[in-house]
Amino acid sequence: MKFVPSALCLALAVNTSVQAFTFSTPSSQGLQQISQKNVSPFSSTAATTATSPFGILSRRQLTALAAEATKITMPALSSTMKEGRVVSWLKGEGDEVEAGEAIMVVESDKADMDVEAFEDGFIAKILVGEGESAPVGDIVALMVAEESEIAAAVSSLDGNGTVEAKEEQAVAAVDASAASVSVAAPSCEFSQVDMPALSSTMKEGKVVSWLKSEGDAISAGEAIMVVESDKADMDVEAFEDGFLAAIITPEGESSAVGSPVALIAAEEADIPALKAYAATLDGSAAPVAAAPAASSAPASVTKAAAAAPKAAAVASANTGDRILASPLAKKNAEALGIDLSTVTGTGPDGRITAADVENAASGAAPKKAAAASSAPKKPSWTPAPGVIAATPMARAAAKKAKIDLATIQGTGEFGRVTLDDVKLATGEKKPERKKATKGAGAEPVELPEGLVPFTGMQRAVSKNMEATLATPVFRVSREVEMDAFNALYQKVKPKGVTVSALLAKAVALAIEKHPIINSSYSPEGTVFNPDINIAMAVAIDGGLITPTLKYANERNIIELGENWKELVQKAKEGKLTPDEYNSGTFTISNLGMFGVSQFDAILPAGMGGILAIGGTTEQIVPCDKAVLGMKKVSKMTVTLTCDHRQIYGADAALFLKDFNEIMGNPAQLLL
């Protein structure tokens, strides 16, 4: 019995690189593994050979094989599958294959499953026969785009099965040379700039901008870049004098803490060598200029090869009757009416890629006559009579939902039914709404859609909120009379004092009488903080941060007001230092200015309490001294959230009682 998996797909990757291949196999029946080895740009063609069960492959044969053959690999049919066994081939060598057609049956560690082809072509060579096994990812067959290319692909694998020792040594020498080029550091004096850890929770940083460019002179202590951490944007300074030789992590990209982001040269003359070395640190190939020439190549030949124009190589690759192009490039050229002989290839040895064809279609190369382009296009694939075109995942989903595929209109390539089509039919996925047109009424509002990744600050806030879930808390609320406080604020407002500064001072004076509110929990006991640092939550673009007024009980309200304005401005600009936002011992969250009457605040991790401030409202209360026995007063509701492991309900109630008395007699805030 055969079971079609819901996520079965066979990737047919075309190898477009001209490199040396080493083929090894425990039997002469098929290929088991292909490993690629870097080849020096100056190595001789004699060293560019490969060994296979079919003999020695020359550079020309490897080029033809890499350019034309599509590799069919053993797919991973389950998360635990390590190797698969070919139960049967549904297509033989030389048979034509259409996209979406099953070509073989594979036995995994779960069940027997059909494997489909994703491209049109012909089976050129079966390398793993029926009944044989191969590890996941190994090549089991070769496929070509045209039937005429089968013989070339098969002949490239024909040989006497022996390897000359000098050829193996040459390949090994080239490998060693390439390895030394990619990892060897230059002998000049230089220093490496790593991504710094700007906070204790920072795992990676994003380079917001480079303040210096490659080649610029820099001095020790001079800012060279701006990095976005999970808290704020901060300048990073250089520790040594020199020249910025190479930028490894460009603007807008991120790197893990400790990874290299730039190189600084001690001497300006060493910049080219360090640029070549930086290319190896970045994971890309080093420039040719930095690689030593192979000893087997004469110096005159090396210089000529380096100076030869790229266009000449491309022209030589596509001369004659045969045009070197990928199967996808040929297919796209036929569909777009592009004459491949007029297209300049940018691939290895001038090979024409699909991107080259697309560029030619935009006007970079002449097209065929209009009559040819206007001719009706031949469909790439037409299902057999009675066969419903559908992807494997769509078939599995339809079977699970018990839906007849014939009732679903396919929207995929070649009209095939896709997984999204099945989801739309079952109601699992909603159809896309048509955009509303402008009419007599209000214009349609474009709402955001989809996932928006967190910024570094948003990610930090999210993790801090999750960390509080394990803390047992309780909440106490109380109304506070605000008439005397409002009168005091009107007097000191012209001096630049804000409501936030006055609230911070009042809370700090109440904490002096109840130090337990300023404490934090430890498994060994209660940790009392000697300083009263009031952190106040501020919402900024892209997150939430808590600038801290340090020693709030010891400073006057004028100084606190000036300090608070400075902290808010730095928070908006993303320039707060870690000590300015993570040194708080008690937190205030004020939503009163937004008209919120009362709310509960989440206790920050590592703190004993947080005070939620609501808005001020006018109320009518009894009064013996009033004419009618009633008077109007302003009140606000505050809610205190505490860690119940070291703070008890009576502690919170007494704290709020003294806080209310201070707000009712605010003259002591001026002391």
Side-chain angles (χ1 to χ4, degrees):
M1 182 178 293
K2 302 174 183 177
F3 299 91
V4 181
S6 61
L8 172 60
C9 63
L10 175 60
L12 304 179
V14 179
N15 190 332
T16 59
S17 61
V18 182
Q19 295 175 319
F21 293 80
T22 299
F23 298 173
S24 61
T25 177
S27 66
S28 61
Q29 186 64 29
L31 286 170
Q32 295 295 325
Q33 185 178 5
I34 290 185
S35 60
Q36 298 184 353
K37 302 180 180 296
N38 295 326
V39 179
S40 169
F42 302 109
S43 61
S44 64
T45 57
T48 311
T49 61
T51 304
S52 77
F54 307 96
I56 301 174
L57 306 183
S58 66
R59 179 184 181 90
R60 178 186 61 79
Q61 292 170 321
L62 286 171
T63 302
L65 177 61
E68 299 298 326
T70 297
K71 297 181 294 185
I72 303 175
T73 59
M74 177 63 68
L77 305 180
S78 71
S79 60
T80 59
M81 178 176 171
K82 302 299 181 183
E83 68 173 12
R85 186 174 72 92
V86 178
V87 177
S88 64
W89 281 97
L90 306 180
K91 293 291 183 178
E93 294 181 354
D95 288 353
E96 185 176 7
V97 177
E98 295 181 337
E101 189 175 13
I103 58 176
M104 65 175 174
V105 179
V106 172
E107 176 187 351
S108 71
D109 58 346
K110 304 294 184 183
D112 294 352
M113 305 180 188
D114 293 343
V115 177
E116 297 181 358
F118 276 3
E119 294 182 6
D120 297 342
F122 296 83
I123 299 293
K125 186 68 178 178
I126 294 177
L127 304 174
V128 177
E130 294 183 354
E132 295 184 347
S133 300
V136 170
D138 280 6
I139 299 176
V140 296
L142 297 177
M143 195 173 82
V144 293
E146 303 293 338
E147 187 175 11
S148 59
E149 299 171 350
I150 295 178
V154 174
S155 63
S156 298
L157 298 174
D158 232 359
N160 53 25
T162 61
V163 183
E164 295 182 12
K166 66 177 183 178
E167 292 176 332
E168 293 180 334
Q169 294 171 357
V171 173
V174 170
D175 294 343
S177 174
S180 63
V181 170
S182 61
V183 300
S187 58
C188 59
E189 182 182 355
F190 70 97
S191 60
Q192 183 172 292
V193 181
D194 296 334
M195 177 63 68
L198 303 179
S199 70
S200 58
T201 59
M202 178 176 171
K203 302 299 182 183
E204 68 174 7
K206 176 183 177 182
V207 178
V208 177
S209 64
W210 281 97
L211 306 179
K212 293 290 184 178
S213 303
E214 290 184 347
D216 289 353
I218 56 179
S219 303
E222 185 177 10
I224 58 175
M225 64 175 174
V226 179
V227 171
E228 178 191 72
S229 69
D230 56 353
K231 302 294 184 182
D233 295 349
M234 304 183 188
D235 294 344
V236 176
E237 301 177 351
F239 291 109
E240 298 181 9
D241 297 340
F243 298 86
L244 185 57
I247 293 176
I248 301 174
T249 304
E251 293 182 355
E253 294 189 5
S254 301
S255 293
V257 170
S259 61
V261 297
L263 298 178
I264 297 178
E267 302 294 337
E268 188 173 8
D270 298 330
I271 292 179
L274 289 174
K275 281 188 176 181
Y277 176 57
T280 65
L281 297 179
D282 189 43
S284 57
V288 173
S295 58
S296 59
S300 59
V301 176
T302 301
K303 294 178 181 179
K310 184 176 182 180
V314 173
S316 63
N318 285 326
T319 55
D321 296 335
R322 183 172 180 273
I323 297 177
L324 193 59
S326 68
L328 182 58
K330 292 179 179 179
K331 182 177 180 180
N332 292 350
E334 180 181 358
L336 296 172
I338 302 295
D339 186 358
L340 285 177
S341 63
T342 63
V343 179
T344 301
T346 61
D349 286 350
R351 183 169 181 264
I352 299 174
T353 65
D356 298 331
V357 175
E358 293 177 2
N359 293 335
S362 63
K367 299 183 179 180
K368 289 184 179 180
S373 62
S374 61
K377 298 178 182 178
K378 178 183 177 182
S380 299
W381 177 57
T382 302
V387 176
I388 299 175
T391 64
M393 296 179 66
R395 292 183 186 277
K399 182 178 180 181
K400 183 178 180 181
K402 297 180 180 181
I403 294 180
D404 186 1
L405 284 173
T407 63
I408 302 177
Q409 178 66 37
T411 60
E413 190 177 7
F414 315 128
R416 293 201 297 177
V417 178
T418 65
L419 178 61
D420 284 343
D421 297 331
V422 177
K423 288 182 177 180
L424 288 173
T426 59
E428 183 179 350
K429 182 178 180 181
K430 295 181 179 180
E432 295 183 1
R433 291 195 312 169
K434 295 182 179 180
K435 293 185 178 180
T437 57
K438 295 182 179 180
E443 294 185 1
V445 178
E446 293 291 339
L447 298 176
E449 182 181 0
L451 175 67
V452 178
F454 277 153
T455 63
M457 179 179 294
Q458 289 173 329
R459 192 178 298 109
V461 171
S462 176
K463 290 181 179 179
N464 289 339
M465 295 301 100
E466 291 177 355
T468 66
L469 296 177
T471 303
V473 299
F474 71 94
R475 299 173 179 86
V476 179
S477 299
R478 179 182 178 124
E479 288 186 339
V480 177
E481 292 192 7
M482 295 294 293
D483 291 326
F485 180 87
N486 291 338
L488 174 65
Y489 172 63
Q490 295 300 324
K491 292 180 181 179
V492 298
K493 182 179 180 180
K495 299 181 180 179
V497 179
T498 63
V499 172
S500 297
L502 287 172
L503 287 174
K505 181 71 173 182
V507 169
L509 293 180
I511 288 177
E512 281 186 335
K513 301 178 180 180
H514 305 278
I516 189 67
I517 303 298
N518 197 46
S519 67
S520 60
Y521 168 79
S522 171
E524 291 75 23
T526 302
V527 179
F528 286 91
N529 295 303
D531 301 321
I532 300 177
N533 301 333
I534 306 299
M536 306 190 72
V538 174
I540 60 176
D541 186 18
L544 178 72
I545 200 165
T546 53
T548 303
L549 288 170
K550 303 182 71 173
Y551 320 118
N553 59 319
E554 302 174 5
R555 302 161 68 185
N556 60 62
I557 58 174
I558 302 297
E559 184 181 353
L560 289 174
E562 294 175 351
N563 188 195
W564 179 246
K565 289 182 179 179
E566 177 187 1
L567 291 173
V568 170
Q569 183 63 31
K570 293 176 70 174
K572 293 179 179 179
E573 297 174 355
K575 295 182 178 180
L576 286 174
T577 63
D579 184 62
E580 291 174 330
Y581 60 74
N582 63 11
S583 58
T585 59
F586 185 88
T587 304
I588 295 176
S589 181
N590 185 4
L591 295 180
M593 71 284 290
F594 299 109
V596 176
S597 58
Q598 188 269 335
F599 70 101
D600 297 337
I602 297 178
L603 180 67
M607 289 192 182
I610 180 173
L611 187 66
I613 306 291
T616 301
T617 59
E618 293 184 345
Q619 301 180 18
I620 302 298
V621 298
C623 180
D624 296 337
K625 298 180 181 180
V627 176
L628 299 178
M630 305 289 287
K631 72 173 182 178
K632 183 171 64 174
V633 297
S634 297
K635 290 187 176 183
M636 76 174 182
T637 301
V638 297
T639 302
L640 178 64
T641 303
C642 297
D643 188 337
H644 211 339
R645 291 174 295 186
Q646 84 273 13
I647 303 175
Y648 305 140
D651 300 324
L654 292 174
F655 168 80
L656 290 181
K657 178 178 178 294
D658 288 334
F659 175 72
N660 179 60
E661 292 177 355
I662 294 172
M663 298 293 285
N665 182 25
Q668 53 190 307
L669 300 179
L670 302 177
L671 300 179

